[in-house]
Amino acid sequence: MNIIKRICIAFTAAVSIGVLAASSLTASAAEKSLSPVYSAPYTVLMGINADKELWDQKNDNSEAISYDGDYSVSYDFQTGASSITTLVLDTNIDSASIPDAKITVNSIYIEKSEGYNVDVPFDASKAIQTKNANGCHRLNILYNFGPDAAKAIATNFPETATMYDKLVIDFSISGVASAPVTTTTEITTAEVFPATTVGTQVVTGTVTNTVSQTADPGVIAIVAAGTAAAALAAAAFTARRKRK
């Protein structure tokens, strides 16, 4: 009987060790982290465990940043999911070199392939900004391990995500570097022309009349400029005096 009890105790201990090992492996997978870089551009990566666990850069789940500003990352669901167990924003921004860097989530939502979005409620007070295993800034949004555990979103999605849907995080980065300011200066130039003296010239010669054809072929309209009309009148007056 004692032998049977000992066998049962040994078996139970082995199972417990196996469960503990499995838990450790899960935690270890969640701790996969970016290594620090010391100059821009930096990387912000969405780490997720939903229908698939993804901790590597793929598609649009990472964003390169050089300055403070608004950014977005997304995850493409592989088969679809109704729940999620882990969600973090990991970076390679060294916390010792840039201690004031801050990650702020603006919104989280499921972008449906049918063309509408489903908001995922987010409680900023429950998100934990910490350091990853390599000393870089990291924001835990939904994380179940250690003292930096966080639950800023629920485990279950408000609506099931299907294949071709996306999980999107819009976020802001501050404390890294201010974006350069571009100033546009408009220069107006004026071209100066030299003064020109215009003389008065009296032109004598033949006066040309402008003749236009109206709609009625039998009617011809003679259009003369003022100076031409005056010249014609003077010529007619001179002709009458000669006949006298």
Side-chain angles (χ1 to χ4, degrees), residues 31-63:
E31 287 295 335
K32 186 173 182 181
S33 306
L34 294 176
S35 298
V37 298
Y38 300 98
S39 62
Y42 305 102
T43 298
V44 177
L45 173 95
M46 179 200 292
I48 187 172
N49 191 351
D51 58 344
K52 181 181 178 182
E53 190 167 16
L54 182 62
W55 296 91
D56 299 306
Q57 296 183 38
K58 184 177 181 181
N59 299 332
D60 297 320
N61 75 326
S62 65
E63 182 81 88

Side-chain angles (χ1 to χ4, degrees), residues 104-105 122-129 139-141 149-153:
T104 303
V105 171
F122 170 76
D123 185 348
S125 66
K126 295 181 179 179
I128 303 295
Q129 178 153 338
L139 183 70
N140 291 343
I141 299 170
K151 196 172 183 180
I153 64 171

Side-chain angles (χ1 to χ4, degrees), residues 154-167:
T155 301
N156 294 323
F157 289 132
E159 182 176 321
T160 298
T162 59
M163 192 188 319
Y164 307 120
D165 290 349
K166 293 184 177 186
L167 183 67

Side-chain angles (χ1 to χ4, degrees), residues 133-233:
N134 297 318
C136 299
H137 290 286
R138 169 170 162 166
L139 183 70
N140 291 343
I141 299 170
L142 182 61
Y143 189 69
N144 299 313
F145 310 103
D148 295 325
K151 196 172 183 180
I153 64 171
T155 301
N156 294 323
F157 289 132
E159 182 176 321
T160 298
T162 59
M163 192 188 319
Y164 307 120
D165 290 349
K166 293 184 177 186
L167 183 67
V168 182
I169 303 178
D170 294 332
F171 64 96
S172 299
I173 291 287
S174 61
V176 174
S178 298
V181 178
T182 303
T183 303
T184 302
T185 303
E186 184 176 348
I187 301 175
T188 303
T189 59
E191 187 175 358
V192 179
F193 295 94
T196 303
T197 301
V198 180
T200 302
Q201 182 178 5
V202 178
V203 179
T204 59
T206 305
V207 177
T208 303
N209 298 325
T210 301
V211 180
S212 61
Q213 183 78 29
T214 64
D216 184 353
V219 179
I220 296 177
I222 299 176
V223 181
T227 54
L232 290 174

Side-chain angles (χ1 to χ4, degrees), residues 2-83:
N2 289 334
I3 295 175
I4 295 175
K5 284 184 178 181
R6 288 173 183 172
I7 293 174
C8 290
I9 291 171
F11 178 76
T12 302
V15 171
S16 299
I17 292 171
V19 170
L20 179 61
S23 299
S24 299
L25 287 174
T26 303
S28 177
E31 287 295 335
K32 186 173 182 181
S33 306
L34 294 176
S35 298
V37 298
Y38 300 98
S39 62
Y42 305 102
T43 298
V44 177
L45 173 95
M46 179 200 292
I48 187 172
N49 191 351
D51 58 344
K52 181 181 178 182
E53 190 167 16
L54 182 62
W55 296 91
D56 299 306
Q57 296 183 38
K58 184 177 181 181
N59 299 332
D60 297 320
N61 75 326
S62 65
E63 182 81 88
I65 68 167
S66 296
Y67 304 106
D68 298 347
D70 298 328
Y71 300 92
S72 182
V73 289
S74 62
Y75 167 75
D76 296 324
F77 287 98
Q78 307 299 301
T79 58
S82 60
S83 62

